[in-house]
Amino acid sequence: MSDPIEAAIFETLAKADPKGVGGKSVEPADVAKHIQTEQWQRVLPKVRATALHLMRQGRLTITKKGKVVDPSSFRGVTRLRLPTEAETAAALAALPPALAEDDD
């Protein structure tokens, strides 16, 4: 993991959910505060963007009021948690198929 924001997301989740079962969640602000204690508000938009990218990859789940959000149209207060196996499979199924490489 070379992205420091991605690393901070998973480190913060590891503290909240040490068994990695996808039950505990954290606020994006908690991750931003982990990255930069002072002026964490400046980092918050980058944390949210990285979380959205990870959700689309099936590596993270974003929830609102305990329910998984639609990654294309959510707003407001959210929480981050590790995905269940079913959520990961659904996210991977939604990805566009990889372009086939020509062997010619």
Side-chain angles (χ1 to χ4, degrees):
M1 243 182 266
S2 61
D3 182 6
I5 295 175
E6 187 176 318
I9 289 171
F10 289 114
E11 286 172 16
T12 306
L13 281 170
K15 289 178 185 175
D17 188 10
K19 294 183 181 179
V21 294
K24 303 286 183 175
S25 63
V26 297
E27 294 180 18
D30 295 335
V31 177
K33 291 173 186 175
H34 179 79
I35 296 168
Q36 188 171 350
T37 308
E38 309 253 342
Q39 300 180 347
W40 57 269
Q41 296 92 340
R42 291 183 180 194
V43 183
L44 191 55
K46 293 178 183 177
V47 170
R48 289 182 175 147
T50 300
L52 183 58
H53 177 71
L54 292 169
M55 182 177 184
R56 288 187 172 135
Q57 291 179 335
R59 298 174 55 203
L60 188 72
T61 297
I62 302 174
T63 62
K64 183 173 184 172
K65 295 183 180 179
K67 297 180 182 179
V68 178
V69 299
D70 178 357
S72 63
S73 64
F74 72 91
R75 296 179 55 147
V77 179
T78 59
R79 294 187 65 86
L80 312 175
R81 68 171 168 80
L82 295 174
T84 63
E85 288 182 26
E87 290 166 346
T88 300
L92 294 177
L95 288 175
L99 297 175
E101 293 184 29
D102 292 332
D103 292 334
D104 304 69

